[in-house]
Amino acid sequence: MTDVQRRWRQGGCAATTATRSWLCWGTWRSDGRGAGGCGGGESRGAIANFSVTFSIISILTGLTTLYNTGLTYGGPLTMIWGWPVVGLLTMIVGLSMAEICSAYPTSGGLYFWSAKLCGNRWGPLASWFTGWFNIVGQWAVTASVDFSLAQMIQVIILLSTGGKNGGGYEASKYVVIGLHGGILLLHALMNSLPISVLSFFGQLAAAWNLVGVTVLMILIPTVTTERASAKFVFTHFNTDNGDGIGNKAYIFVLGLLMSQYTLTGYDASAHMTEETKNADKNGPKGIISSIGISIIFGWGYLLGITFAVTNIPYLLSEDNDAGGYAIAEIFYMAFKNRYGSGVGGIVCLGVVAVGIFFCGMSSVTSNSRMAYAFSRDGAMPFSSLWHKVNKQEVPINAVWFSAFISFCMALTYLGSEVAFQAMVSIATIGLYIAYALPIFFRVTLARMSFVPGPFNLGSYGILVGWISVLWVATISVLFSLPVAYPITSETLNYTPVAVCGLLVLTVSSWILSARHWFKGPITNINS
């Protein structure tokens, strides 16, 4: 019996030792490798597990699409120094998650952890809340990532046809939504492929992000004819945000959203553990390494791009060629000023677009595994449908369902951009609440009973866990603050409305129905 099998038996899982085959969120075969209900035929290695998570964090996606936010709220100083601060605290959260992942390597991830850490009495309730915040947050991430790609494609088309000042084509919101739907369709098709193929794409995505970031952080400041000084990059603080906010501390806090949004989604390593060899070791490695490498390369990317920033108001102006898309304007003008043509900048935007495409692909992968696991316990409507797997042992129905839900979320954009922003705000706050819940249970209810896996923080586990919980509580408050004054229906930050709405729905469904039938993660016996 392996250490993992022994710990899972202690946690309440059953086994048939005669066949040496285990089934508790994953099947333990005679060769000692975990084979989950999805992906049991093929297993990912440590690199493949890391690749999916690194691709979801995707520096190219988060930092590029929210660079405007960083420039608006604080500018260079907020971005350059806020990134390592947020990175360090994110790593602390990741370490706490990695420790729990090592003890419970399952595709259910966070909500399974909450159930086991809270025991039989409170486990179902804790599992219900954690699971729904996790899965809705993941759907919101996919919706926001693929919508960001649709907007990026629209900007590429605009610049390729002459730019805003040259009569370029500006797509309507209906065209953008159509692009979003097409992207999700491609991602669903790719995630319907066998795991070996998807694993290849995942590793290609990780390589693309690493190489793309490295090339752009060197190329852009090299090509640009006007570079910012080191003093500007490291010390300039932009207070001219046009939103009526003058307090510097307040501005700095709002600017941190760029960094925190980017460093999200690393729970994917946990959701992929049932398809990962030596999951109790490689799952935690995937979480920690993806965060660490993202911090290093992300800081380099921010430095390189910010050295090409010399006129913040112009970059944020909707009257520039990119229509106010700051990084697109930086890339475009760097090549246009140097070579008389912005084609090189458009190509660079294409590199970013591919990185965002891979991010969305990996996000659907993580979504579908979470939906598969959650429905396996009957927690979702029509659960029997979503936890089916095809001949390649891919949770095919969960893949298409996740893509469909993400598309429906983006449809709110047609009614109101404010409503859309409120919906995707769950991507950051909702997910981090789901991250914090099992950590909170680990340092409270399970403080004495927690049985660590191969990766553990030893005597520092409790301290690191409390820091993680406090940081999540802090950002949940900070990112719910108003982002513009005076406060109107158009400037109100709807983040707390969206998160509280999800909380009300989760509580109501538990009280009215789920408490009568949802018993938490189901232990299966494979004979």
Side-chain angles (χ1 to χ4, degrees):
M1 184 187 299
T2 67
D3 290 339
V4 176
Q5 292 166 353
R6 185 175 296 107
R7 284 198 308 279
W8 282 18
R9 169 176 280 181
Q10 292 170 348
C13 297
T16 54
T17 54
T19 60
R20 299 181 65 189
S21 180
W22 296 70
L23 183 57
C24 175
W25 294 85
T27 304
W28 287 93
R29 301 191 303 237
S30 59
D31 60 4
R33 296 191 304 169
C38 54
E42 301 172 74
S43 296
R44 299 169 183 262
I47 294 178
N49 182 284
F50 155 80
S51 298
V52 171
T53 305
F54 183 72
S55 301
I56 292 177
I57 293 177
S58 185
I59 301 159
L60 289 175
T61 300
L63 294 184
T64 300
T65 57
L66 283 190
Y67 195 78
N68 277 48
T69 299
L71 277 183
T72 301
Y73 300 108
L77 187 144
T78 296
M79 294 189 291
I80 300 304
W81 297 114
W83 177 261
V85 170
V86 171
L88 174 62
L89 290 164
T90 299
M91 177 61 80
I92 290 174
V93 176
L95 286 168
S96 293
M97 289 175 60
E99 181 180 51
I100 304 174
C101 178
S102 184
Y104 309 115
T106 72
S107 67
L110 309 174
Y111 93 94
F112 179 85
W113 303 347
S114 290
K116 303 306 294 182
L117 292 167
C118 288
N120 294 331
R121 182 178 181 183
W122 298 107
L125 177 61
S127 177
W128 180 262
F129 277 96
T130 306
W132 277 110
F133 268 91
N134 191 192
I135 196 167
V136 173
Q138 285 190 348
W139 286 333
V141 166
T142 300
S144 63
V145 168
D146 280 6
F147 190 82
S148 296
L149 178 55
Q151 290 181 313
M152 172 67 78
I153 294 173
Q154 185 271 325
V155 171
I156 290 174
I157 294 173
L158 173 63
L159 292 174
S160 299
T161 54
K164 188 168 184 177
N165 296 315
Y169 173 74
E170 292 187 72
S172 69
K173 60 183 179 181
Y174 297 100
V175 172
V176 174
I177 283 292
L179 288 171
H180 178 259
I183 294 165
L184 275 170
L185 177 63
L186 286 175
H187 286 155
L189 289 171
M190 294 177 73
N191 275 276
S192 300
L193 298 172
I195 292 170
S196 58
V197 178
L198 194 59
S199 179
F200 167 76
F201 280 124
Q203 294 179 60
L204 177 62
W208 186 277
N209 270 274
L210 283 174
V211 174
V213 165
T214 302
V215 170
L216 293 176
M217 62 187 271
I218 297 173
L219 180 63
I220 297 303
T222 300
V223 169
T224 188
T225 56
E226 294 183 41
R227 298 184 192 87
S229 66
K231 181 179 180 181
F232 177 86
V233 171
F234 289 100
T235 65
H236 179 72
F237 191 79
N238 178 41
T239 57
D240 184 18
N241 49 70
D243 291 321
I245 301 175
N247 184 280
K248 290 186 177 182
Y250 198 164
I251 292 172
F252 182 82
V253 165
L254 294 178
L256 294 181
L257 178 61
M258 177 197 71
S259 301
Q260 196 63 78
Y261 173 80
T262 302
L263 295 172
T264 304
Y266 43 87
D267 57 313
S269 284
H271 296 303
M272 300 307 298
T273 49
E274 288 186 23
E275 301 166 51
T276 303
K277 301 173 184 177
N278 301 317
D280 54 345
K281 297 178 182 178
N282 290 331
K285 285 180 181 178
I287 293 172
I288 296 168
S289 60
S290 60
I291 295 173
I293 294 176
S294 293
I295 292 171
I296 295 170
F297 280 82
W299 203 58
Y301 184 65
L302 281 173
L303 279 173
I305 301 304
T306 306
F307 267 106
V309 173
T310 56
N311 190 336
I312 294 177
Y314 172 74
L315 292 175
L316 296 174
S317 172
E318 293 183 0
D319 295 326
N320 62 38
D321 281 320
Y325 201 122
I327 278 193
E329 184 69 16
I330 292 171
F331 290 2
Y332 185 74
M333 293 307 298
F335 281 86
K336 188 173 182 178
N337 290 337
R338 170 75 67 176
Y339 302 109
S341 171
V343 174
I346 296 173
V347 172
C348 289
L349 288 176
V351 171
V352 175
V354 173
I356 300 175
F357 180 83
F358 280 136
C359 176
M361 177 201 73
S362 298
S363 186
V364 172
T365 303
S366 182
N367 289 182
S368 62
R369 272 49 179 184
M370 174 59 193
Y372 162 82
F374 211 30
S375 63
R376 186 164 51 185
D377 295 315
M380 297 174 61
F382 308 105
S383 286
S384 60
L385 186 62
W386 312 131
H387 78 264
K388 291 182 180 292
V389 296
N390 61 14
K391 293 181 179 179
Q392 286 76 39
E393 300 193 47
V394 171
I396 189 73
N397 292 343
V399 166
W400 287 90
F401 177 66
S402 296
F404 175 73
I405 293 296
S406 296
F407 178 70
C408 291
M409 283 184 160
L411 290 178
T412 55
Y413 178 74
L414 296 177
S416 168
E417 186 171 351
V418 174
F420 174 74
Q421 292 302 326
M423 184 276 301
V424 299
S425 65
I426 300 175
T428 300
I429 303 300
L431 269 185
Y432 267 93
I433 289 174
Y435 292 174
L437 285 173
I439 299 174
F440 176 73
F441 300 140
R442 186 268 184 255
V443 298
T444 53
L445 293 177
R447 178 170 183 169
M448 303 304 295
S449 60
F450 178 71
V451 180
F455 175 86
N456 64 84
L457 302 175
S459 59
Y460 294 100
I462 300 298
L463 174 62
V464 172
W466 274 116
I467 294 174
S468 301
V469 171
L470 291 174
W471 173 240
V472 173
T474 300
I475 63 173
S476 296
V477 173
L478 296 180
F479 295 157
S480 296
L481 297 173
V483 295
Y485 290 90
I487 300 174
T488 66
S489 59
E490 292 299 316
T491 61
L492 178 65
N493 183 353
Y494 285 88
T495 298
V497 178
V499 174
C500 287
L502 175 59
L503 179 62
V504 168
L505 288 174
T506 307
V507 171
S508 300
S509 59
W510 174 260
I511 294 175
L512 297 176
S513 176
R515 66 189 178 94
H516 298 296
W517 51 265
F518 182 68
K519 305 303 179 184
I522 298 171
T523 299
N524 300 302
I525 299 178
N526 183 34
S527 55

